[in-house]
Structure formats: C-alpha cells, structure tokens
Amino acid sequence: MDGEVGRQGADLLGAHMSIAGGVEKAPGRGREVGCRAIQIFTGNNARWKAKPIGQERADLFRARLEQAKISSCLAHAGYLINLCAPDGRILRRSIRALLDEVGRCGRLGIGGLVVHAGCHGGAGERFAIRRAARSLDEVTGQAASLGVKILLENSAGQGTSIGYRFAQLAAIRDLVRDPDSIAFCFDTCHAFAAGYDLREAGGYEATLAEWDALLGMDSIAAVHLNDCKLPLGSHRDRHEHIGLGTIGLSAFWRLVNDPRLARVPKILETPKQGDGFADRENLKVLRRLLGRQTPPTRRPAWRRANR
C-alpha cells in the first residue's frame, strides 16, 4: 500500500444504513456507528414503486452526507427487480423499477447502484444472460446521463439466480451494448457460498485471479463485506458477522489490506443488532485488521447484543 494515501483509501469502510423516517437520516446513522462509506435503499426494497423524493429532501440528504464526512454512498436496488425474468410482465416492471431507482440516485447524488442480475425460473442460464444484458441496455443510457453507474453483484447461486460464477457476469457484460456502462460489486458471502474459497491465501488469490482474468480488477466498484453462516459452496445467502462465520478473519484481513481494492468502498451487510451495536463492532474488527502484518489467529471477542 502506498503510504498514507493508501491507508486512507483502505478505510473506506461502512455499512448499509436504514432510511426509516427519510433518506436524509441515513448519513447521521452512518456517522454514529463510524462509517466512512454507506449504502442505502432509496425506497422500500420490497415494493415496486417508492414515494417520490422531493428536492428539499434530496438537498438535505446531500448536505448531511457532507456533514457526516461520508466519502462514498451507494444505493442497493429493490429485491423485486429481476432483469432476466421469463415473465414479460415482471420483466417490464423490473426495468421500470430500475429506471426509477436510477432517477432517485441521480436526484440524491449517488453514483453507484447495486443490482442483482436475477433469476431465470427454469428458462436456463443462456436465456438469463441474454435477457439480463438486454434489460441493462434499456437502463444504462439514462444512468450514464445522471452520473449513475450500474453495479452488478455476484450472487450465491441460490435457486435459479445467475451471476454466481464470474464467467456469467463476464458474459452479461460482453453482451451489453456499452460494456463500460456497468461495473461490479463483489460480495464475500455470495462468493464463498458459490464455491470460491477465500479462507486461505491460495484460495483468495485464485479467486481474485479468476476475477481479474474475466472481468478485470478495476471493474470492482464496491465490495460487500459479509461472513457466511453456511459451508463453502452451500449456494445459500446467509450473512454472518465478520470473523464469526465459516469464512473467518483471514480473508477479511487480506481484503482490507489488498492494495488493488484500497480505494473501493467496502460495505457491511451483516445482521443488525442493538441500535447500531453490531455495525460498530464489525467496523472495529475490520479496522483492527488494517495495516496488520500477519493474519489473525483468533475469532473476534465481542459479545452479541439482544440475543
């Protein structure tokens, strides 16, 4: 890492923050738990349509983001969106919903929107890759005009979801009319659940070497830092606190000290507990790993609140 500049870049650590009561409350919540980067939903993540964000609220969000000294803010698209849905009605609703999310990000000044490629429902991987690419083609133009980059996230491979192999993400990008219009979000729990063994140095380097060969390391615009509750290759998306799951601390030590990812925002999506307690503890664990010369040998010793 390149001295102090590298160290500051490496601490773009944060967590997904609630927007309960209004999006403008998220930056303050992030500051309270020690975030230097945050991720939010811009509306209800389980509904097709969200309430409009007025200019006054958007301006307040931007101002509070600056006041909280949050260096990076991402948005995560709603979970109903399925860019490779075989049902035409669901597909159209998904594209409209993603366009709405893009508009909301533009209004809030959020430059990165994380989205899952979706599930093919039995129609097959080749169908899903083509359909996801065509869906993205309908969104990326407006996104670019608003300064919003679409970030495809790798999946755990649960059910018929795609994007759990890096080659699938590469195939989608290759079919998009403007490949430079999209980037990627790397999720540690999803990668591990999909069969990428991050636990030891060899597996970690092999995973990133495969990513680099297929997608390029510079395509990673965000990282989701999540340990995993279940074994390697489970293909189930079950997040755990950092160092308390089946991935373990060594992978996170390598990741937060990896100079290739030093300037990439790294966001916790670990279970919430005790009014910010778990986010604070997870961030403390990660910051203790920063600059450490050797991997840790013990699990983090922090109690769990509200158990």
Side-chain angles (χ1 to χ4, degrees), residues 10 16 29-30 32 78 85 90 93 95 97 107 115 119 152 177 180 192 196 214 221 251 253 260 271 279:
H16 186 101
R29 290 176 177 136
E32 287 171 6
I90 297 298
R93 293 188 80 176
I95 292 169
R107 174 156 284 196
V115 65
C119 303
L152 274 183
R177 281 196 294 266
D180 292 336
F192 188 75
Y196 292 97
L214 291 168
W253 168 73
R260 297 167 293 184
D279 286 336

Side-chain angles (χ1 to χ4, degrees), residues 82 84 118-125 128 155-165 168 193-194 233-238:
N82 185 356
C84 58
C119 303
H120 59 71
E125 178 184 316
S155 76
Q158 190 162 312
T160 63
S161 67
I162 62 164
Y164 63 94
R165 304 308 299 176
Q168 295 171 345
S234 69
H235 292 289
R236 296 176 67 195
D237 183 9
R238 298 292 185 273

Side-chain angles (χ1 to χ4, degrees), residues 234-287:
S234 69
H235 292 289
R236 296 176 67 195
D237 183 9
R238 298 292 185 273
H239 296 189
E240 179 58 288
H241 299 294
I242 301 300
L244 300 187
T246 50
I247 299 177
L249 278 181
S250 291
F252 297 100
W253 168 73
R254 291 186 179 88
L255 196 150
V256 299
N257 289 297
D258 193 327
R260 297 167 293 184
L261 299 170
R263 298 181 185 277
V264 176
K266 302 170 185 70
I267 303 293
L268 292 163
E269 294 180 321
T270 43
K272 300 291 186 182
Q273 292 177 0
D275 192 26
F277 170 84
D279 286 336
R280 290 188 191 93
E281 291 299 306
N282 280 306
L283 287 170
K284 285 178 187 175
V285 169
L286 290 170
R287 289 193 170 113

